[in-house]
Amino acid sequence: MTISVDKLTEPAVRAFVGALNSGDRDTFRTTLAPGATMSDDGNDRDIDEWTGREVFDSRGHMEVESQSADGLSLVACYRNDTWGEMRTSWRFSVEGGRVARFETGQA
């Protein structure tokens, strides 16, 4: 069973997932705080390069399976045209209503 994007409790995370799933690169950028950072499987990555390759150029999509009580951690089935489908975890730090950092990796 999945959780629809509109049921995600943290507004910044909800906006992030919504923009990612719609393939809207411009709106996605507005969900990020200035100087936002990220890591993938414990390795820091350049957000623009990583999201270009892993999300927007390869039609990435998240189906959220669960969220933490504070809405800042998700477990999701993530798929894209490069890697196929995998179960992933996502952790978010939010500052000023925008995502300041996200960490993702296989769950």
Side-chain angles (χ1 to χ4, degrees), residues 10-13 15 30-31 33 94-99:
E10 167 54 52
V13 172
T30 70
T31 72
V94 173
E95 295 174 7
R98 298 187 351 192
V99 173

Side-chain angles (χ1 to χ4, degrees), residues 4-48:
S4 65
V5 174
D6 64 333
K7 301 290 186 204
L8 297 176
T9 57
E10 167 54 52
V13 172
R14 185 171 54 244
F16 176 102
V17 175
L20 184 152
N21 282 353
S22 68
D24 188 337
R25 193 184 307 242
D26 293 334
T27 298
F28 180 83
R29 284 189 182 119
T30 70
T31 72
L32 302 175
T37 61
M38 62 123 350
S39 71
D40 179 15
D41 285 328
N43 298 304
D44 279 0
R45 305 286 188 202
D46 177 271
I47 287 180
D48 287 334

Side-chain angles (χ1 to χ4, degrees), residues 78-97:
Y78 185 79
R79 68 177 182 272
N80 67 24
D81 290 346
T82 303
W83 303 108
E85 191 171 295
M86 67 188 80
R87 194 160 187 257
T88 56
S89 64
W90 299 75
R91 289 182 309 276
F92 298 89
S93 299
V94 173
E95 295 174 7

Side-chain angles (χ1 to χ4, degrees), residues 55-81:
V55 176
F56 299 108
D57 297 340
S58 60
R59 299 186 312 148
H61 191 271
M62 298 172 70
E63 290 193 20
V64 179
E65 296 177 0
S66 64
Q67 66 179 323
S68 61
D70 63 6
L72 294 173
S73 295
L74 307 175
V75 173
C77 180
Y78 185 79
R79 68 177 182 272
N80 67 24
D81 290 346

